[in-house]
Amino acid sequence: MSLHHWESYYRGGALASCPMGAAASYTLELRGVWEEFFGALPDGARLLDVGTGNGAIALIASEVAAADGRHFEIHGTDLADIDPLRDVADGARLFRGIRFHPRVATEQLPFEAASFDAASGQYALEYTELPRALAELARVLKPGAQAQFILHHGDSVVAAKARESLQQSALVLEDTHVFRRLRRFLEAERSGQRSLRRTKDDLLAAMQRLQQAAAATDNRLTLDVTIDAVTKLVAARGQLSPATLESGIARVESDIRA
């Protein structure tokens, strides 16, 4: 997902990006790992949660501290333009005392050196330039500070599906060139070019390849979005102006590239 997609996701108010059950936040083993980590921090610890999203891990830290009668100073950073207090239901109460820093890259943290007692991050470091991010985390952590990060491993379902989605995007944009073929067909039809039949056949061939690829997988969102958009644009071409058609093509193409 691009930064734009993450921001749209967070504005929807979800706490967890990979929920493990009916609860709004993380449960089961994931929650247990974090409760153990935060439970070992001393009262008054200053914590940095990177890639915080809508604050799911920061919230667990706050809840662990409150349950033991302790207090942590918690900061959450994210490259996305986050606002959990606004976007999450009852966010002002849930995140009371937690400070969020939107549009902050882990590779360039706006904090003084040796200023944090602990750092955390879940599904965060894999979205950074790792050497720079680790160097910056080392800079802001105090000597002897604790740090814990949970990442998607290379063979995880998430990573596998991401690789497949990238391959599908390449099929759409770089192999079939379906949007280019759609533009050529529309232009040939508008201008009465002799190439109309050829451009139509080229578009149909591209769509057939995309449909065959979609039929071969259950991870077909990228392909379905493309097929649906092209089909609807072709069907509506008699009712839409050339400028409106081009705007629709460009919007879908931009989403796939993102």
Side-chain angles (χ1 to χ4, degrees), residues 33-43 60-61 64-65 68 70 72:
V33 166
W34 287 118
E35 288 178 339
E36 182 179 357
F37 177 71
F38 296 132
L41 299 180
D43 186 30
I60 293 175
V64 167
D68 292 340
R70 291 175 290 153
F72 299 154

Side-chain angles (χ1 to χ4, degrees), residues 190-207:
R190 282 194 297 266
S191 60
Q193 295 177 13
R194 296 173 61 182
S195 61
L196 175 60
R197 178 60 182 270
R198 176 176 57 79
T199 58
K200 182 178 181 180
D201 288 345
D202 287 346
L203 178 60
L204 290 174
M207 289 289 282

Side-chain angles (χ1 to χ4, degrees), residues 6 24 66-67 96 102 113 126 151 178 183 200 202 211-212 257:
W6 277 121
R96 186 178 295 118
E126 58 265 59
L151 287 74
V178 68
R183 289 184 174 98
K200 182 178 181 180
D202 287 346
Q211 290 163 347
Q212 290 171 342
R257 290 191 185 283

Side-chain angles (χ1 to χ4, degrees), residues 71-134:
H71 172 75
F72 299 154
E73 180 185 336
I74 303 171
H75 295 258
T77 63
D78 203 288
L79 186 60
D81 188 11
I82 58 167
D83 190 349
L85 278 72
R86 177 197 65 196
D87 295 331
V88 176
D90 201 19
R93 181 190 64 83
L94 285 175
F95 300 114
R96 186 178 295 118
I98 301 175
R99 183 177 176 187
F100 291 102
H101 305 263
R103 300 181 298 277
V104 169
T106 306
E107 299 89 340
Q108 192 172 1
L109 297 168
F111 306 111
E112 295 182 359
S115 58
F116 285 95
D117 301 288
S120 59
Q122 180 165 295
Y123 310 143
L125 286 184
E126 58 265 59
Y127 296 98
T128 69
E129 295 180 35
L130 194 55
R132 291 181 58 203
L134 291 176

